[in-house]
């Protein structure tokens, strides 16, 4: 089985590794700073040159890349009711590895159109109405979108009954518009796979040009994915396994970065307890949430605002410094505190809620979102966690708190680290060699003990 | 021909589910597309569902006597949400104790409900009524 050269082009660092799917080993790992201003292939070439001794001895079958460079894939989501199709649309965007730079409900107005024009949107996901349901709003929105100055691909994942009309309105106005299955075909039912697929295809087709990845086409062969999409693929495989190799079961992962914190959860059942009802949109069993206000560098100040009362003066001073100067020397202790806060807040937002209502027959419970109390594995991904000397201090913030039992966080956790920064790269290989990749992941996602 | 959508559910904190299933079944048999929100449904959920599914009617059930409290303002909420022409029906044990039904009916109609059904009503009457109101011929 062949050898692959894999890259994860991040906003700050480009990471690369060489994977031998035969011996199921990672033969080399290297990283280099990403050149954000010029072509991204320079960062890739730099990483390659660090691995040149190993590369010289091998025949590389394919080069594959995932990227979150230049802010990653930016999408705008348009839906109807905020808690229903708009939420479904944003969940579809997140599951595809995108950052949602604008989300709009009901009928779009002119100032919202103006905001979309300046949002830096790469792809727009237009949704609204169950199949056979509301057509009025989505038709209005399609017409309104024609007044945008910019042109970018639009994916239509709304009511299929007016799909032909919507597509005709948009394509006549010069948009590339692609149909997908409705993200909410019937009330409360979430179906993101079709939209996720189409987003991935569009990323490959259109974004590579815009994000400075064009010259890469000469050095890479096949898949280009948004990095979080690749991470999700790797985590899904690790959790669920294949027909030949078992997965490790339900898990969560936290990826803390300079500007955002991503949380992933992969589990088997929606509702764990018999006496609990479920309300609202069914969230995906494979879920990614993105907190755009939680990061340890660029967004450190917004994290601080959320934790104002417990922050000491020195920490506040540090945050002020790092927010204004990206070269300010990092402080391990404060970075760990910031990362801990990011982890705790982000996981608290990601998990579901259990609410109770008092009825003549006693207490009734209903759940919104995901019940992750029984998840027992948490994987830490990304620089801030991996560079910390106290990763468990950070990751343990994801645990349930006794004072808020209604927030359905895990009750007990074993902690793992993506020590070698390989999860995102390995996700690229999942469709081609799932069994081998699963075994490599198991070897590289390292369990850490309490004393570490 | 496309089916007409009706949103049904049991409002407020109420766990009685059997009647809800009976209504779901009867409406489905009568040819409607039923969006069943189950129990403990808030006004907002009824309205959100009606918007997305382009429902023509909302059938609210309430069985434990606090219906008046839970349904208060629902007619106005529908108007605010742009559901000007939606039919609102309500039925069940709408108030506790021995109260004159006509007074109950008047209260609910004042809240925006088109039809109000006393305890022990048969869903079939509701079906006949919605067909009349929507101009659906049998």
């Amino acid at each position: 089985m062949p050898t692959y050269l894999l890259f994860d082009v991040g906003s700050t660092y480009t990471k690369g590794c060489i994977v031998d799917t035969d011996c199921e080993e990672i033969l080399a790992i290297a990283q280099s700073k990403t050149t954000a201003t010029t072509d991204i292939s320079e960062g890739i070439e730099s990483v390659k040159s660090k691995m040149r001794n190993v590369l010289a001895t091998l025949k590389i079958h394919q080069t594959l890349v995932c990227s979150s460079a230049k802010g990653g894939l930016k999408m705008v989501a348009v839906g109807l009711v905020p808690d229903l199709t708009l939420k479904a649309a944003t969940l579809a965007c997140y599951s595809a590895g995108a950052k949602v730079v604008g989300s709009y409900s009901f009928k779009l107005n002119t100032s919202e159109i103006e905001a979309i024009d300046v949002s830096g949107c790469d792809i727009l996901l237009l949704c609204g109405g169950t199949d056979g349901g509301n057509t009025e709003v989505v038709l209005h929105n399609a017409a309104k979108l024609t007044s945008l100055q910019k042109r970018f691909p639009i994916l239509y994942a709304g009511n299929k009954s007016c799909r032909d009309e919507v597509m005709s309105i948009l394509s006549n106005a010069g948009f590339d518009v692609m149909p997908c299955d409705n993200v909410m075909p019937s009330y409360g039912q979430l179906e993101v796979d079709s939209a996720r697929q189409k987003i991935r295809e569009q990323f490959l087709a259109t974004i590579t040009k815009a994000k400075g990845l064009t010259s890469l086409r000469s050095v890479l062969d096949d898949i280009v994915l948004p990095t979080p999409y690749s991470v999700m693929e790797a985590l899904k495989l690790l959790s669920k396994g294949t027909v030949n190799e078992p997965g490790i079961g339900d898990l969560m992962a936290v990826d803390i970065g300079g500007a955002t914190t991503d949380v992933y959860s992969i589990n088997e059942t929606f509702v764990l307890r018999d006496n609990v009802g479920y309300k609202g949109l069914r969230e995906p069993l494979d879920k990614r949430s993105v907190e755009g206000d939680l990061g340890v560098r660029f967004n450190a100040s917004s994290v601080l605002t959320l934790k104002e009362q417990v922050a000491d003066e020195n920490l506040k001073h540090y945050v002020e410094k790092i927010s204004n100067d990206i070269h300010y020397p990092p402080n391990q202790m404060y970075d760990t505190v910031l990362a801990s806060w990011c982890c705790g807040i982000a996981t608290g937002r990601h998990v579901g809620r259990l609410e109770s209502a008092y009825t003549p027959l006693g207490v009734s419970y209903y759940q919104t979102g995901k019940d992750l109390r029984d998840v027992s594995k948490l994987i830490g991904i990304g620089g801030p966690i991996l560079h910390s000397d106290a990763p468990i201090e950070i990751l343990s913030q994801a645990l349930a708190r006794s004072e808020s039992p209604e927030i359905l966080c895990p009750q007990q956790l074993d902690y793992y680290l993506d020590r070698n920064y390989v999860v995102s790269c390995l996700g690229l290989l999942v469709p081609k060699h799932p069994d081998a990749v699963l075994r490599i992941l198991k070897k590289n996602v390292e369990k850490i003990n309490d004393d570490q | 021909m496309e089916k007409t959508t009706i949103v049904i559910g049991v409002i407020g904190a109420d766990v009685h589910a059997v009647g809800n299933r009976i209504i779901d079944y009867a409406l489905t048999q009568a040819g409607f597309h039923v969006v069943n929100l189950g129990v403990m449904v808030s006004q907002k959920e009824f309205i959100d569902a009606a918007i997305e599914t382009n429902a023509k009617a909302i059938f609210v059930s309430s069985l434990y006597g606090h219906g008046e409290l839970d349904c208060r303002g629902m007619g106005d909420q529908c108007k605010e949400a742009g559901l000007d022409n939606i039919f609102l029906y309500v039925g069940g044990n709408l108030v506790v104790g021995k109260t004159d039904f006509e007074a109950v009916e008047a209260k609910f109609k004042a809240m925006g409900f088109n039809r109000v059904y006393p305890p022990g009503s048969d869903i079939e009457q509701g079906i006949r009524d919605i067909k009349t109101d929507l101009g659906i011929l049998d």
Side-chain angles (χ1 to χ4, degrees), chain A residues 80-81 83-85 128-130 132-134 187 279 357-361 364 366, chain B residues 2 5 13-16 35 37 39-41 44-45 48-49 51-54 64:
Chain A
L80 178 41
V81 171
D83 286 344
L84 294 173
T85 49
T130 50
N134 192 300
Y187 175 82
K279 299 239 131 234
Y358 292 92
T359 77
L361 295 183
S364 274
Y366 59 95
Chain B
E2 278 209 16
T5 301
D14 193 318
V15 295
H16 293 87
V35 175
L37 304 180
V39 298
M40 298 202 300
V41 183
K44 177 179 188 295
E45 285 169 88
D48 282 353
I51 296 172
E52 290 277 8
T53 60
N54 198 28
Y64 74 112

Side-chain angles (χ1 to χ4, degrees), chain A residues 254-257 261 296 332-347 378-399 401 413 415 417 448 452:
Chain A
V254 177
D255 182 351
I256 302 177
T261 296
V296 298
Q332 271 269 10
M333 188 180 74
Y334 292 142
D335 283 347
T336 297
V337 172
L338 288 168
S340 306
W341 288 344
C342 289
C343 181
I345 300 170
T347 49
L378 177 62
I379 304 173
I381 299 176
I385 299 176
L386 297 171
H387 290 143
S388 170
D389 52 11
I392 293 191
E393 197 182 305
I394 299 171
L395 294 174
S396 60
Q397 297 302 308
L399 285 167
R401 277 145 230 262
L413 283 170
Y415 304 101
L417 293 180
I448 50 177
Q452 282 177 265

